[in-house]
Amino acid sequence: MDDRSLAALGFADVPAARPLTYPGRPVTAPTLLIGGELWDLEPAPGRLGTWPAGGPSREPLDALLTRLGQAPTGERHPVIAVGSNASPAQLHHKLTRPDRPAVVPMVPVEVDGIAVGCSAHIGRYGYVASAPYTAPGTRTPLVVSWLDAAQLRAVDATEHPNYRRILLPGADFPMVLPSGERLGGGYLYVGVRGVLLSPDATATATPLPGGGDQSALLTRLLAASRRLRALLGPDPHTWVSRAGADPTIRKEGSQVFQDEGWALPQPAFLRYLEDETTGPAEPRGYDVLSALR
């Protein structure tokens, strides 16, 4: 039998453990993360739960999930990843517990109106993570993971307090599965501090592209700011080492982004925040969101 482990398939790097590998390697084809392995998903007409999955039997995905004692796709929450959550290695790291291996369908999806930038903060592992920004007329290949309720809570915990989860409606931001199905909506984590502007183009409000080589990104930021060089320099290795070890340094570095005028707020996302006057809204599953199409 083929070795389907993350390591054998080239997904060994976990950004949480090796910050300069951020955002990790994303999936580029529909797949099922099951423990530390990746199983194929075959796009087919109809809803995700009917797609053939797994080994030689190629049983429908929902049948396989039920057999494994997992929530079916209709009860799961589609979550759009713009950063390391598109990496099965990072997701496995976040979700796997000794008594509960992570089982997550992960599917590349084309999303209109969203692009990937860099969050205007330094994350807990020392890297500068990705964050979305609105970009009308842009179509971006992203990854949607279908998380069960417990998995969604676990990922929420890793994103707080630097991101907020919003419900992105498919009517405003069309999102299309490889099967041709249009999603009614999906959850998205947006940066509370906005995204970074390109340090050499702040006058034109050009967001700095995210999701690329982390070392190159940090090198560029260091070159653009004397304060960052003093705090985190002289190189990317020193940056992630210092920032990953000290929350005070992360806070100071994030403040430098603001002081340099590099932070671009994303107020357009605020309209998609769910009502929090009486606590966060109950997350909606794939079946419920499909009715919004």
Side-chain angles (χ1 to χ4, degrees):
M1 184 175 179
D2 292 341
D3 186 348
R4 306 301 301 172
S5 68
L6 292 172
L9 296 175
F11 292 92
D13 285 336
V14 178
R18 299 184 61 198
L20 291 181
T21 67
Y22 184 91
R25 181 183 172 192
V27 298
T28 56
T31 190
L32 177 65
L33 172 64
I34 179 165
E37 297 184 340
L38 291 180
W39 292 12
D40 293 335
L41 280 176
E42 181 182 334
R47 290 169 55 73
L48 177 66
T50 67
W51 293 10
S57 64
R58 308 302 291 166
E59 61 188 309
L61 175 58
D62 274 348
L64 174 60
L65 291 172
T66 299
R67 182 165 60 81
L68 295 173
Q70 304 289 324
T73 57
E75 298 175 7
R76 290 172 175 259
H77 313 287
V79 179
I80 306 163
V82 298
S84 64
N85 288 339
S87 161
Q90 183 87 326
L91 210 53
H92 173 72
H93 173 80
K94 287 186 176 185
L95 297 178
T96 295
R97 300 292 181 268
D99 59 343
R100 186 180 175 85
V103 179
V104 183
M106 304 180 70
V107 181
V109 174
E110 298 278 345
V111 182
D112 287 357
I114 294 292
V116 180
C118 301
S119 182
H121 85 284
I122 300 173
R124 70 187 68 186
Y125 300 112
Y127 49 64
V128 175
S130 298
Y133 64 92
T134 54
T138 298
R139 175 170 291 179
T140 303
L142 298 171
V143 174
V144 172
S145 295
W146 270 257
L147 304 181
D148 66 26
Q151 291 167 345
L152 183 63
R153 289 193 297 271
V155 174
D156 279 351
T158 68
E159 304 298 330
H160 180 80
N162 297 305
Y163 294 85
R164 298 182 75 178
R165 175 165 48 82
I166 66 171
L167 179 58
L168 203 67
D172 294 347
F173 299 89
M175 46 195 88
V176 183
L177 295 175
S179 62
E181 178 187 355
R182 283 188 57 167
L183 290 176
Y187 288 98
L188 178 72
Y189 293 100
V190 299
V192 300
R193 298 175 181 83
V195 295
L196 288 177
L197 294 171
S198 178
D200 49 5
T202 53
T204 59
T206 302
L208 191 61
D213 183 292
Q214 181 72 189
S215 290
L217 170 62
L218 301 187
T219 297
R220 183 174 181 180
L221 295 176
L222 286 168
S225 172
R226 178 179 56 81
R227 288 177 61 191
L228 284 179
R229 291 194 297 275
L231 181 68
L232 294 164
D235 56 47
H237 291 278
T238 305
W239 176 309
V240 296
S241 176
R242 290 179 178 173
D246 191 336
T248 300
I249 287 180
R250 295 196 294 274
K251 183 176 180 180
E252 291 178 7
S254 299
Q255 185 60 47
V256 172
F257 294 162
Q258 302 289 328
D259 295 344
E260 294 281 7
W262 296 347
L264 179 66
Q266 290 296 298
F269 285 133
L270 295 178
R271 62 182 293 197
Y272 302 112
L273 286 169
E274 296 188 292
D275 187 2
E276 295 183 341
T277 57
T278 58
E282 185 69 21
R284 287 177 264 186
Y286 176 40
D287 279 348
V288 174
L289 291 174
S290 294
L292 302 179
R293 287 182 294 180

